[in-house]
């Protein structure tokens, strides 16, 4: 058994089992690059908290400018690949120009995204008796990290970019155990505590001031492939609280304003506003 | 309190509390090295998807050859350590030759493993309405990553290598929240969605076309140390679906072909083929 | 839309949305540095297991000495920042001296911490039929990693250091899915298996020889911010076993000695010693 | 004096003192990249001698292939920049295609270049009583390194590439103190010993089996800018030996076959074949 | 012979042979850091030529700002050490403030230094028939690199900083073989070709438009330690040319305007303006 | 012209032009590794001066111990290769044991080597009016660096190790332009100033308190290969001074005690003690 023939067999497998190879790395968004963009974006959102590099009034302009340049340059390339890939069977697109426009729009939206993320930080601090300060929340809460990356990925998802938003949220899913699909709609002042095991499906709609604890699933009743374009996941209205390990399923299930869903509950029908549901 | 005396106290502790030290790093498989091998193996399975390095028709032979060489060289060393460690109390083995043989067998098996992994990719794409393409599954689904590493670790486990398969699956457990023991037997076209909190025990047997959602435990009823060699975990036959947070326990528990196990259920007895079990 | 004006808008957002920026990286503990300290501490606890660097009788003194120096130097800086930050509104403290004293005390405590961690290793090996050796536990069990980091963070927490213990436990929460608040009190020979989804709250008290499985929550009944200083989480006495996905809530809830809490149970009242609770 | 205004002044200087700025790094060959190519080329010429990476019969094909790919890719980009830069005032060229063709030609020429370099190695070994083996010459003689880089740079120079050959020879000039212009013509079996201070000008012509010692200058008598296209440097015929610190100047100066030029001599007229010239 | 006793012997040697140890790295300027500053300064002088990082109109402000911040921060620390070291036997100085002031002054002087360096570039291009463009000079001529580093080091030397200017010029001496003492005074439009072996002593004074070739020494006649504060090296007036390997010695030796000094000459007396000196 | 056939041609050239390939990197000392050893050795000789790593009373023991371990381990491997290579045609040697013994002897000799190097530092400081302190000499003088590396290489040379001493001195030759053969014998308090272009041949013998300036050659009259074992280079007795660019040749040439050899002189006969030789 010699090494060269082993290599030949693997190469042969590449040409035969085509569905799981890449013809060339240039033609599909690359996970390593997308992760680098996510980390840079988080540093832009919370300057001085995430990386060891010192940020002060003398250098913040330059560090910020470098980050913006790096993000626009890398993200444009990855979005371009994603657009080219999606259009391959159809008419060509001016994919580079389109990709750059989306990257710049994301940067332009950052001040507004930071305003919303600030509300999330406040919600986490207010909602958790164990939280000692905003800074502690920013620097250590996985729930916040999952929300921030979701908000960034959701922006890119709404701009019509395939694949990349999913790489972003699955990366943070790996880090935090919190799985939020970038297609979900989530209102202001969103609160997640502990978070491990949370699943929020693609067509979920969540209002303002909602609180969700670890192990909560907002899922689909049916998982038929042909349901792809239907609303398959529940709607959670403003001020709802959902305790640990509750499961809420179905696209027509609505949890009304201010309802409280107890831990370990199983819900597949709508719940009226203000109701308290226990096991 | 001076630094040198602190160091002396720690060194003293090393000589006294022997059970949790290493006499020498050469004598036990090293986590960092095993993780490097896992990542190289994943790049070999999905060339061009995982790392930023460009793969194209000009360089794929060389990149593949380098990866194969690196894997064989590193894995052989780690397997050798594992074999030496295990045999220490017994007769000596020709551990290097044995280790190299196993490494080469793994490389030789890769085309077949890729065929099976391709079926897993297809199962994930078909089973999840949110999946937009095979490529999205490959590049972003933690469930797939857990399955791939399990299949590689299982191969090494069956070749009789101790410790290393467990380092591999626990590494990916950390990354994905999916805990599959390398001793489990899992058939083709295995589907995991979301996945956080899944536990699949050492003596579990799973058939073909099985679907499992987040938080599912396939565990043991008894956890007595002396049950080590018994079948302690359930058998799941072909075409079974197990929804989120179901718990199925016991070595004699069999879920029959095509059964559907609802979310949050607690099962400690066998379920006949075709049955639907709800909470 | 030109790049410079985008940068200006982000800088403007930094000055306006002040709550989520850092005036300067020097003034708040930094996550990257704290993570580096955690990893060095783990290498000190288990020399030769975690990193690829070879440890042997010739170099262990020097490697240990370097690690101690590096830890004391980095940890002192981070603790100093944490203390300065906390005191900012009050009288000044001699924060550097205080920080260095705490760092040195941690190093001094390591031999005793290693003794306790050795008991945890033994508990994991004894409690899991799938465990083949102490070494396998040390090198691959996420439960052990979570316990070790908790014990280190708890020491720093008891020394009165804010924020840093939380960064430590949330880092390992991200890696293992096991969320133990550094404020919890946990006795000797603690056993965690699989672990994903475990939550152990700030005021939990756990005795000796306790066993906990994946998805267990030891949480609060009320999450009002003004309950911050009350005991909000349960007390688990010696020799209790809590199976997967059990939820135990409330500061006055006591699980008596030797009780066995079954999987998927929901407990908000005390359980007498020796009781077996099933769903 | 504030930092931002200092930066502004430097930026202002960039726009005013235009001759020494780069409009964009893409438009001029980059020193770091060219140096990387030189080092890769040397590893291709002497596999296994220069870098710590192990080369053996199992991996040499893959390491070689990777090097070839990396060199062709990087060198093509740098040559393209050099060609674009040179043509800027003139008609456009199909610079990428041309650059790639030159890079591939260099790779194609490597077996022949290695044959010639082998003769140089032999000449150094034969000519220096202190040399103990061919391998010692390859791994330690700066004279050989200067000759090898000259031969590579000369090939690229003859292919009509501006700037890059000069970056190559000046890089090795820095490392060895030996300054050979890439335009010089040098025959087979060239011998340099010690080498520091050697200068070989652009229009020098050197025959076979020539030996040159440290501090020798083969230079121009006139250094008027308008002499640019004339032969300004001497011709050295076959089998000539030139001892340390000799200075030979002028484009019409010919040192005839087999002549021996003593150390510290000053020569501005031709020397007949077979002559011995002393101070 | 055991390792620990060998280490003890070396430590013992450190305490005995005190003159060549450092009590602590903080107390003496560090070569690695000074070299990093030199390289950053060169990139500031010639943006886009030296490093692989792309410089364009979008990012030049940020890259420049980052470089300025990094240089000021690192250089201030090193200058502070140098000042503290020098003053140790005397009264204390406010060394940090003084060091920062000098660093900022250097940055402030950069536009003017770039103007002068531009003249040097032009002199090199005009003076060397082999030079094809300003860019080739900037990117490949060691003579230019030596002049640039000299001009930066000379500025710091004149500001009264010990040791650091010497580390700078000796670093570039190592790279180019050109040894210019930072104390020398050198006028505009200075030309060096080939350069290896050039020595320019501490009290040398050089006018404008001077040309110097390889191996030229401008040295001292006497090398008595007590001559330290005298002018020991020659004066070279405007428009002088000195060909290869000429040696000019003595503090009272003056080479008059426009003189031409031939190669390999030995000069220890003054030469009148306009004279041509040959061997 | 396709890439794979180019690679094949180069591989073909490897098998044909055998003299300049390596069968395997394991079988010949590697330049990168030897250079790493040199740098570590220099840090051991001058702790705190060469690298950015802080050295203080708390960590010097550990840094020193780590350096000693690293040097012994790497140097032993490289010496072993050199010994195996040399013996290949003869009887086998116990090369590993022999190599380790030599490495340990070098470490054991370091205190004595440091005593001698201290005398060299003093000689440089005393001999150069431009030197402001011992520290300046240590941190910036290339002459000192060349002497230090020569003294280390000479020790290894005398221990009978082939090739490696030459790699060491040629590395420093590249950095400083000073070419000292490791076989030369050089007495205490050796002084080199400027140094570029100095050549000191293999069989040179130099006494105490000798001073040598730039461009001096101590060379051979005859360079016949069969003179390999004869004394080919001059003897320089105590207290001799040799000024810049002097050339002294021949194995029987003796420069007597206290002689002064002027710059640019050419000497091929012995010079009596106390003589002053000028051009």
């Amino acid at each position: 058994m010699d090494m060269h023939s082993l290599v030949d067999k693997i190469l042969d497998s590449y040409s035969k089992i085509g569905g799981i190879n890449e013809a060339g790395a240039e033609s599909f968004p690359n996970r390593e690059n997308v992760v680098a963009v996510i980390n840079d974006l988080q540093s832009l959102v919370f300057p001085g908290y995430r990386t060891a590099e010192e940020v002060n009034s003398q250098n913040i302009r330059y560090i910020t400018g470098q980050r913006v340049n790096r993000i626009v340059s890398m993200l444009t390339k990855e979005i371009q690949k994603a657009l080219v890939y999606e259009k391959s069977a159809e008419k060509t697109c001016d994919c580079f120009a389109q990709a750059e426009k989306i990257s710049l729009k994301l940067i332009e939206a950052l001040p507004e995204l930071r305003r919303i993320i600030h509300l999330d930080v406040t919600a986490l601090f207010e909602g958790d008796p164990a939280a000692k300060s905003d800074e502690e929340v920013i620097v250590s809460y996985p729930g916040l990290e999952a929300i921030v990356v979701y908000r960034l990925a959701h922006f890119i998802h709404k701009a019509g970019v395939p694949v990349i938003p999913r790489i972003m949220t699955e990366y943070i899913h790996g880090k935090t155990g919190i799985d939020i699909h970038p297609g979900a709609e989530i209102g202001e002042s969103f609160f997640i505590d502990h978070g491990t095991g949370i699943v929020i499906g693609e067509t979920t709609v969540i209002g303002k001031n909602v609180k969700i604890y670890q192990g909560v699933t907002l899922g689909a009743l049916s998982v038929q492939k042909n349901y792809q374009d239907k609303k398959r996941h529940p709607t959670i209205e403003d001020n709802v609280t959902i305790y640990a390990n509750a499961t809420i399923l179905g696209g027509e299930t609505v949890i009304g304003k201010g309802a409280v869903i107890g831990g370990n509950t199983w819900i597949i029908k709508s719940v009226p506003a203000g109701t308290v549901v226990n096991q």
Side-chain angles (χ1 to χ4, degrees), chain A:
Chain A
M1 198 158 32
D2 108 295
M3 196 88 63
H4 295 308
S5 74
L6 291 178
V7 172
D8 282 341
K9 277 177 196 162
I10 293 172
L11 292 171
D12 186 53
S13 147
Y14 288 167
S15 63
K16 279 191 193 141
I17 310 175
I20 55 173
N21 308 308
E22 264 267 75
E26 305 255 358
S27 62
F28 200 78
N30 174 286
R31 190 155 68 174
E32 259 183 46
N33 295 337
V34 173
V35 167
V37 169
I38 297 172
N39 290 329
D40 253 346
L41 279 167
Q42 288 201 68
S43 295
L44 214 47
V45 169
F46 300 119
Y49 281 105
R50 293 290 158 89
T51 54
E53 186 178 22
E54 185 189 352
V55 176
N56 57 42
S57 61
Q58 294 290 2
N59 67 13
I60 193 164
R61 169 176 297 276
Y62 309 118
I63 285 179
T64 302
Q66 289 277 68
R67 281 176 181 156
V68 166
N69 270 285
R70 207 162 43 216
I71 291 167
V72 170
S73 158
M74 287 187 77
L75 188 55
T76 297
K77 276 182 207 153
E78 298 306 314
I79 292 180
Q80 183 187 15
K81 291 184 208 169
L83 296 176
V84 167
Y85 165 79
E86 193 187 32
K87 304 290 176 191
S88 61
E90 309 169 28
K91 283 168 287 185
T92 56
C93 73
D94 184 4
C95 291
F96 180 80
Q98 212 174 315
E100 195 177 41
K101 204 172 147 193
I102 294 169
S103 301
L104 289 168
K105 269 194 164 172
L106 174 65
I107 298 299
E108 202 182 9
L110 272 180
E112 171 60 11
L113 284 165
R114 291 185 78 245
R115 190 191 61 78
I116 293 170
I117 288 164
H118 193 194
L119 295 176
D120 295 324
V121 171
T122 304
L124 267 79
F125 173 69
E126 293 296 335
D128 180 10
K132 302 295 182 287
S133 68
D134 273 12
E135 285 83 357
E136 190 183 84
V137 169
I138 292 170
V139 94
S140 69
Y141 276 51
L144 181 65
E145 203 163 350
I147 295 169
V148 167
V149 172
Y150 154 76
R151 295 211 184 277
L152 296 164
H154 181 62
F155 185 95
I156 299 172
H157 171 89
K158 282 207 300 191
V161 179
V163 179
I164 289 172
R166 198 69 190 274
I167 299 178
M168 295 173 98
T169 53
E170 288 298 349
Y171 165 72
I172 215 66
H173 176 196
K175 261 191 89 175
T176 64
I178 300 167
D179 178 357
I180 311 179
H181 195 286
E185 298 279 347
I186 302 181
E188 292 182 353
S189 299
F190 186 49
F191 171 96
I192 285 178
D193 201 10
H194 309 302
T196 313
I198 287 176
V199 174
I200 299 177
E202 185 178 13
T203 62
T204 307
V205 175
I206 295 178
K208 296 182 184 177
N209 303 311
V210 170
K211 289 185 183 6
I212 290 187
Y213 289 83
Q214 69 269 25
V216 165
T217 295
L218 305 179
L221 266 171
S222 171
V223 288
Q224 303 299 310
K225 191 77 186 173
N226 55 0
Y227 273 52
Q228 198 166 337
D229 299 325
K230 296 203 177 160
K231 183 168 191 312
R232 307 183 307 277
H233 309 91
T235 298
I236 314 296
E237 294 188 348
D238 296 354
N239 303 310
V240 166
T241 298
I242 309 174
Y243 284 109
N245 301 315
T247 304
I248 305 175
L249 305 177
E252 295 178 11
T253 305
V254 177
I255 308 300
K257 289 194 181 188
V260 175
I261 308 299
N264 281 24
T265 48
W266 176 265
I267 292 173
I268 55 177
K269 288 188 191 158
S270 293
V271 168
T275 317
V276 176
V277 181
N278 279 315
Q279 208 185 13

